[in-house]
Amino acid sequence: MTTKLTRLAIVLLLCIVAAAGCAPFAKQTAIQEGQEVNHNTIPPKEEPAENIELTLWSHYNGFEAAIAKFEELNPNVKIKTKLFTYSEYVSAYLQAIADGTPPDVMMVDSGDFGHFTAIEGLENLLNAPYQAGKYAKEFSPALWDSAMGADGKSLISFPLATGPTVTYYRADILEKHGFPSEPEELAIYMEDPANWLNMARKLRGSGIYLTQWDNETLLLFEKTMGTFDRKLNFIRSNQTFYKAVSIAKTVNDEGLEAHLDIWTDAGVKAVQEGNLAMLYLGTWGAAQIKSWAPETEGKWRETRLPFGLYGWQNSSNFVLPSDAKNKEMAWKFIEFAVTEQSKEGLFGAVPAYLPARGNAKELAVTNPFLGGQKAYALHEELMSKVQEFPITPLDYKAQEVWQKGIIEGIERKKDTQKIVEESRAEVEKAVQRDKEILLGNFKN
């Protein structure tokens, strides 16, 4: 436990077999040599399987169907869920791992995965008895790699779902102002930054905006690649991010941003009144917008991101704590949920398991809020082009320093390349010691 706590303390600094459900077997009555066999004897009853209770921790619902089916297939198993708020779940998980009192299964969002990739206390699912490596070719290589620990060698999670970042837009507003309003037509138009900026300029004249703040466009580029590679080299100092910063500078210089946050009352009001004509969200975005502005049903559509980008929003990942009481049965549930139950659909999320995609029923679903658009079909199409990427323990500190440097550089109207390179230097300086610790741990 001391080692585990030490390793966990390092990660917190960087970032801010049990009852296994074996098949029951029948008692055999020994027959001695020469003993007469009574064929009318009632066969002995099987021993009842040991009752097992699994606990699943998550920060969202949606496992009811998988749990019900798994319990039906395994009558001796009961699965209880415990929900946490998004803001509290990471600290609760880490504390339980450190204390040696985790649940059997935990669900972790990819955005928070870096908090877990360098600690002890999670099973390597490539090892026996799990042998998850047999499924490697049934996931995209990028998603499989994103499920690895920080060393890139141990599989510490099993992805359930993944999803793109998409553009939600008011088709009626764009059409009224003479811009493309059909999803693919608009996506093609927005591939050229000059066209997107032209739209932003014209709509601003009517008090309508395409972005909340100047660096929101930069965030879209950040959805396309990680912050560090597997050797913890910073990888955002390149032509892609020169282009990203250049667009953000233009937005700032020309006042093309709304200076609003959609997660505030003022932002919600702007959505309701049509002052924000574009939002860049995950596949849950339509439901969220509907909750804010139900009266706008039928006016919204969704398409891919501007600037020819294919961005990753997040993935949902099962992890198996080493101190779980029922690891083999817990893995059996994880394996079932990912490779079997996901074939029945994941409430609009895209299955991580490739054989579960292409569900005709899911592909045919239309969304009334989006004017009858087949949104899920678009999500699957986009995920064939989106590249997931690893989230490292360094990402959180790095992102804070990176964003600060970019924003300050834009506000001070510095040269684009200078903004990126100075921000890179500040990031590398900020994470240097933590990077050395992590790399040292990889060698041990």
Side-chain angles (χ1 to χ4, degrees):
M1 186 61 66
T2 301
T3 301
K4 186 186 299 181
L5 287 170
T6 301
R7 294 287 297 276
L8 181 56
I10 290 173
V11 175
L12 290 174
L13 174 64
L14 300 181
C15 304
I16 334 178
V17 149
C22 299
F25 56 89
K27 285 185 176 180
Q28 297 292 325
T29 302
I31 301 177
Q32 302 297 330
E33 184 176 356
Q35 179 179 347
E36 183 179 351
V37 179
N38 182 356
H39 295 285
N40 296 321
T41 300
I42 298 175
K45 293 182 179 179
E46 292 185 345
E47 288 286 353
E50 180 182 1
N51 290 329
I52 295 175
E53 181 176 280
L54 300 179
T55 301
L56 165 65
W57 284 8
S58 178
H59 59 88
Y60 64 89
N61 280 309
F63 304 100
E64 294 82 4
I67 289 173
K69 185 63 176 178
F70 188 77
E71 290 179 343
E72 178 184 337
L73 295 172
N74 301 272
N76 63 311
V77 179
K78 296 297 179 186
I79 302 177
K80 300 176 71 174
T81 60
K82 182 176 181 179
L83 294 181
F84 296 81
T85 64
Y86 184 80
S87 62
E88 70 177 351
Y89 93 92
V90 170
S91 60
Y93 286 17
L94 291 174
Q95 190 63 57
I97 292 171
D99 291 343
T101 58
D104 298 286
V105 181
M106 299 191 301
M107 176 58 69
V108 177
D109 186 270
S110 59
D112 303 305
F113 197 49
H115 294 290
F116 299 88
T117 57
I119 65 172
E120 292 185 354
L122 298 177
E123 292 290 272
N124 179 359
L125 300 176
L126 297 177
N127 293 339
Y130 318 114
Q131 307 290 1
K134 64 186 178 183
Y135 293 115
K137 293 183 179 180
E138 295 175 326
F139 293 80
S140 74
L143 182 57
W144 187 261
D145 184 49
S146 76
M148 292 284 181
D151 60 2
K153 299 176 182 178
S154 55
L155 184 74
I156 63 171
S157 73
F158 207 52
L160 173 66
T162 187
T165 306
V166 299
T167 301
Y168 293 93
Y169 66 95
R170 282 286 298 270
D172 58 325
I173 291 175
L174 298 192
E175 183 176 8
K176 178 181 177 181
H177 288 82
F179 295 108
S181 59
E182 291 303 311
E184 184 58 20
E185 183 184 7
L186 176 62
I188 293 172
Y189 178 78
M190 294 193 300
E191 287 178 356
D192 185 344
N195 288 338
W196 185 91
L197 289 167
N198 177 51
M199 232 183 348
R201 294 183 184 107
K202 185 170 181 179
L203 291 173
R204 181 194 53 182
S206 299
I208 301 169
Y209 296 87
L210 300 184
T211 185
Q212 300 170 69
W213 52 83
D214 52 9
N215 69 319
E216 186 178 24
T217 53
L218 175 71
L219 297 179
L220 302 184
F221 284 84
E222 293 177 0
K223 297 288 187 181
T224 67
M225 69 174 66
T227 308
F228 299 94
D229 64 17
R230 278 297 181 193
K231 295 183 179 179
L232 300 181
N233 297 308
F234 186 78
I235 57 176
R236 287 183 177 173
S237 177
N238 53 41
Q239 292 295 327
T240 296
F241 280 92
Y242 296 160
K243 178 180 178 180
V245 171
S246 177
I247 295 170
K249 284 180 64 178
T250 301
V251 171
N252 178 76
D253 292 345
E254 298 186 23
L256 301 179
E257 70 274 44
H259 293 291
L260 288 171
D261 184 338
I262 57 174
W263 303 104
T264 66
D265 291 342
V268 170
K269 184 178 180 181
V271 173
Q272 294 169 339
E273 297 182 354
N275 299 123
L276 277 171
M278 280 190 185
L279 300 174
Y280 313 101
L281 303 169
T283 57
W284 42 266
Q288 182 62 64
I289 298 170
K290 182 177 180 179
S291 72
W292 288 332
E295 68 281 358
T296 61
E297 179 165 336
K299 298 179 179 180
W300 291 88
R301 301 289 187 277
E302 66 172 84
T303 191
R304 51 192 168 93
L305 295 178
F307 320 128
L309 302 176
Y310 292 89
W312 180 41
Q313 181 68 19
N314 68 315
S315 64
S316 300
N317 306 275
F318 285 116
V319 297
L320 180 56
S322 296
D323 286 333
K325 296 179 180 179
N326 299 289
K327 292 197 288 285
E328 287 191 49
M329 185 58 76
W331 166 246
K332 187 176 179 181
F333 169 73
I334 291 171
E335 188 177 30
F336 169 78
V338 172
T339 67
E340 293 297 330
Q341 184 62 30
S342 66
K343 295 176 182 178
E344 303 300 319
L346 294 174
F347 303 99
V350 179
Y353 187 60
L354 295 178
R357 298 185 189 179
N359 181 320
K361 183 177 178 181
E362 291 285 288
L363 293 172
V365 171
T366 59
N367 190 328
F369 188 77
L370 299 174
Q373 187 177 0
K374 293 182 178 179
Y376 176 77
L378 174 62
H379 302 160
E380 269 208 15
E381 177 188 346
L382 294 181
M383 286 312 302
S384 69
K385 300 178 181 179
V386 169
Q387 291 285 302
E388 295 93 347
F389 46 82
I391 307 295
T392 81
L394 303 181
D395 282 30
Y396 310 102
K397 181 185 289 185
Q399 184 66 13
E400 182 179 350
V401 175
W402 167 256
Q403 285 290 327
K404 181 180 179 182
I406 298 294
I407 292 171
E408 288 182 354
I410 289 174
E411 291 177 346
R412 295 176 183 177
K413 302 187 184 303
K414 292 182 179 181
D415 172 75
T416 295
Q417 186 169 343
K418 187 175 183 180
I419 292 173
V420 173
E421 295 308 319
E422 287 183 350
S423 298
R424 174 196 56 78
E426 287 300 313
V427 167
E428 293 183 340
K429 178 181 177 181
V431 304
Q432 182 59 39
R433 178 56 182 156
D434 299 338
K435 178 178 176 179
E436 291 172 357
I437 293 172
L438 274 176
L439 291 175
N441 286 340
F442 294 168
K443 296 177 182 179
N444 295 332

